[in-house]
Amino acid sequence: MHRSLILIHIVAAIMLASAAAQQSTRYVDIDGESWELTRQADQCAERVDKAISHYNRAPIYHQAREVSGDRFLVNSTTNCWIELTIAGVDDVSLLFKVSQDEVILDRRSLSWWGLKVHPYPREPNGL
């Protein structure tokens, strides 16, 4: 009896975790288009280096800060928004819209407070 109770609790925990994972899909609105925020997008992962290279030509944060890209915004188009995070910057990330042929089409910033998209900063922060 005790084993079956443990098994029931394990199954319930797995079902709750699965339901929570399904509900945690987050969407970001950019210019009236809905984009899904994800870490799983092979077609976008190939474009991270292009976004980082573009950022590094005129960084808005100090060049010594590490830049990484491991989240993406995807929808039914072939374009990807690559989210770049800057080490030590906790409230905002940078977005680069990269086409399938690796052309930078747009850039924005993303506030982590409510996932709101803003214009790309005009001035370097220097931090």
Side-chain angles (χ1 to χ4, degrees):
M1 177 90 148
H2 187 261
R3 286 185 183 182
S4 58
L5 185 58
I6 292 172
L7 184 59
I8 290 172
H9 284 289
I10 291 171
V11 170
I14 291 171
M15 290 174 64
L16 285 173
S18 175
Q22 290 176 2
Q23 293 176 349
S24 68
T25 302
R26 300 179 77 181
Y27 292 92
V28 176
D29 181 270
I30 303 175
D31 298 335
E33 285 186 83
S34 184
W35 296 81
E36 180 183 352
L37 183 62
T38 183
R39 290 189 189 277
Q40 303 297 321
D42 292 338
Q43 74 279 12
C44 298
E46 299 168 354
R47 305 175 200 181
V48 170
D49 288 341
K50 182 65 174 186
I52 290 174
S53 173
H54 184 81
Y55 170 78
N56 283 335
R57 281 188 234 132
I60 61 169
Y61 292 99
H62 194 280
Q63 290 178 333
R65 291 185 180 265
E66 183 180 334
V67 180
S68 62
D70 66 348
R71 291 199 319 179
F72 315 100
L73 293 166
V74 297
N75 64 11
S76 61
T77 68
T78 59
N79 298 324
C80 298
W81 285 96
I82 310 298
E83 180 187 30
L84 298 184
T85 55
I86 312 299
V89 179
D90 298 327
D91 58 347
V92 69
S93 58
L94 303 174
L95 298 175
F96 291 85
K97 187 176 187 180
V98 185
S99 70
Q100 188 173 14
D101 56 348
E102 297 194 0
V103 173
I104 303 293
L105 302 173
D106 200 352
R107 58 189 188 170
R108 307 283 176 96
S109 66
L110 178 66
S111 169
W112 290 0
W113 297 99
L115 295 177
K116 299 292 182 194
V117 176
H118 301 282
Y120 194 80
R122 292 177 183 253
E123 302 274 331
N125 189 325
L127 293 175

